[in-house]
Amino acid sequence: MRKLLVLALVGLAAQLVDGALGMAYGLTSSTLLLFAGVAPAAASASVHLAEIGTTLAAGVAHWRFGNVDWRVVARIAVPGALGAFAGATFLSAISTKSAAPWMAGILFALGAYLLVRFSRPLRPRAGAGGLRGRFLGPLGLVAGFVDATGGGGWGPVATPALLVSGRLEPRKVIGSVDTAEFVVAGAASIGFLIGLGSQGFLLPTVAALLVGGLIAAPVAAWLVRIVPAQLLGATIGGVIVLTNARTLMRAGELGGAARPAVYALLAVGWAVALALAVRALRRTRRARSTVDVALSATTHPATGPTARAVTAPVEAVPRLAAADR
């Protein structure tokens, strides 16, 4: 009973992170399950089966709020499903001893990516037209394969790539990626079912993760308004890096004084990323504050030279805010 409660808390924490960032449910869940000693293939299989329920709920919510671009979903979900099926089959075929460092390596790389990604604001490129299939297809295939073999990675791979393109609103990027993940999670689960059989799924673990995730879904909507996503992303990235570093050092038989040195180096990197995230967040907030003041002055203009002095630089303020983002 205690173990199921812990797993439910894992699912709850993972959904809180995913709801605030639009990514990292699988990364967080798989990392914590591996840390608890669950076999890599069983961890990824259980997480993906639980994700069928959580992504369905998330997809319906995004659809109701108009956050889904169905053309993007159709073009990214099918190749994503193919990649996830192939990844699940690959992970099921290799031994647990070989799979552990492989999966930890993928999670470590994705955790490091989160540290870099959230240490500074994303700079979207201005683009014209819609997203093309020749971009979405390969992106979905790679993201799906990484997601299944690493126990997570669909959001961290797909979401930033779509955001950087600048051709889709951020809310529709997150909504479309989350909705497509339902198909990806289903395909991965089928691959694990074929490769591992029904015994490969830890059904109590799946149920606990699912319950925790469903409980956390409404709380995540509140959390995203309280905790800055930038700080949360950098924090979770550091946790994922440090946790999976232990598995990698064990696989490489790194011992003695080397381990504390590696942990110290990673901790310093984590601290630097957090400091950069805080600085970027403050710059963004200052820019927003400047824009708000300028817009307020144009909405309620005064008269005389003071008003002209305030309203004159308004057109330049959005450019400053865009540069800080």
Side-chain angles (χ1 to χ4, degrees), residues 218-314:
V219 182
W222 167 82
L223 182 68
V224 72
R225 303 174 66 179
I226 304 299
V227 180
Q230 200 155 10
L231 294 183
L232 186 60
T235 301
I236 294 303
V239 171
I240 291 172
V241 164
L242 287 175
T243 304
N244 288 285
R246 187 184 71 157
T247 303
L248 291 176
M249 285 189 287
R250 282 181 176 177
E253 298 181 352
L254 189 65
R259 284 197 183 188
V262 170
Y263 280 127
L265 184 62
L266 292 176
V268 169
W270 187 10
V272 170
L274 285 172
L276 291 174
V278 170
R279 188 180 71 170
L281 181 63
R282 287 176 175 173
R283 291 178 60 191
T284 301
R285 285 180 171 176
R286 282 197 301 267
R288 286 178 183 172
S289 178
T290 305
V291 171
D292 290 342
V293 170
L295 291 178
S296 177
T298 58
T299 304
H300 304 288
T303 57
T306 303
R308 287 192 294 274
V310 172
T311 57
V314 168

Side-chain angles (χ1 to χ4, degrees), residues 80-120:
L82 294 175
F85 182 84
T89 304
F90 170 78
L91 189 62
S92 301
I94 61 179
S95 67
T96 299
K97 185 176 181 180
S98 302
W102 167 273
M103 192 169 175
I106 292 177
L107 290 172
F108 182 92
L110 291 172
Y113 168 77
L114 288 181
L115 277 177
V116 175
R117 161 67 181 82
F118 287 100
S119 66
R120 58 196 302 265

Side-chain angles (χ1 to χ4, degrees), residues 70-172:
W70 290 106
R71 287 188 63 192
V72 172
V73 171
R75 292 182 176 185
I76 200 172
V78 174
L82 294 175
F85 182 84
T89 304
F90 170 78
L91 189 62
S92 301
I94 61 179
S95 67
T96 299
K97 185 176 181 180
S98 302
W102 167 273
M103 192 169 175
I106 292 177
L107 290 172
F108 182 92
L110 291 172
Y113 168 77
L114 288 181
L115 277 177
V116 175
R117 161 67 181 82
F118 287 100
S119 66
R120 58 196 302 265
L122 186 67
R123 299 181 183 274
R125 296 194 305 263
L131 290 161
R132 298 182 178 181
R134 63 186 182 185
F135 167 71
L136 294 173
L139 174 63
L141 192 68
V142 172
F145 185 84
V146 171
D147 185 69
T149 54
W154 172 256
V157 173
T159 299
L162 295 181
L163 284 173
V164 169
S165 73
R167 297 184 176 185
L168 197 63
E169 297 176 68
R171 66 182 181 90
K172 288 197 172 184

Side-chain angles (χ1 to χ4, degrees), residues 43-55:
S44 185
S46 301
V47 167
H48 281 90
L49 189 58
E51 278 186 324
I52 293 178
T54 58
T55 54

Side-chain angles (χ1 to χ4, degrees), residues 17-36:
V17 173
D18 191 81
L21 301 180
M23 63 179 80
Y25 178 90
L27 285 182
T28 307
S29 299
S30 297
T31 294
L32 295 176
L33 288 179
L34 288 177
F35 186 76

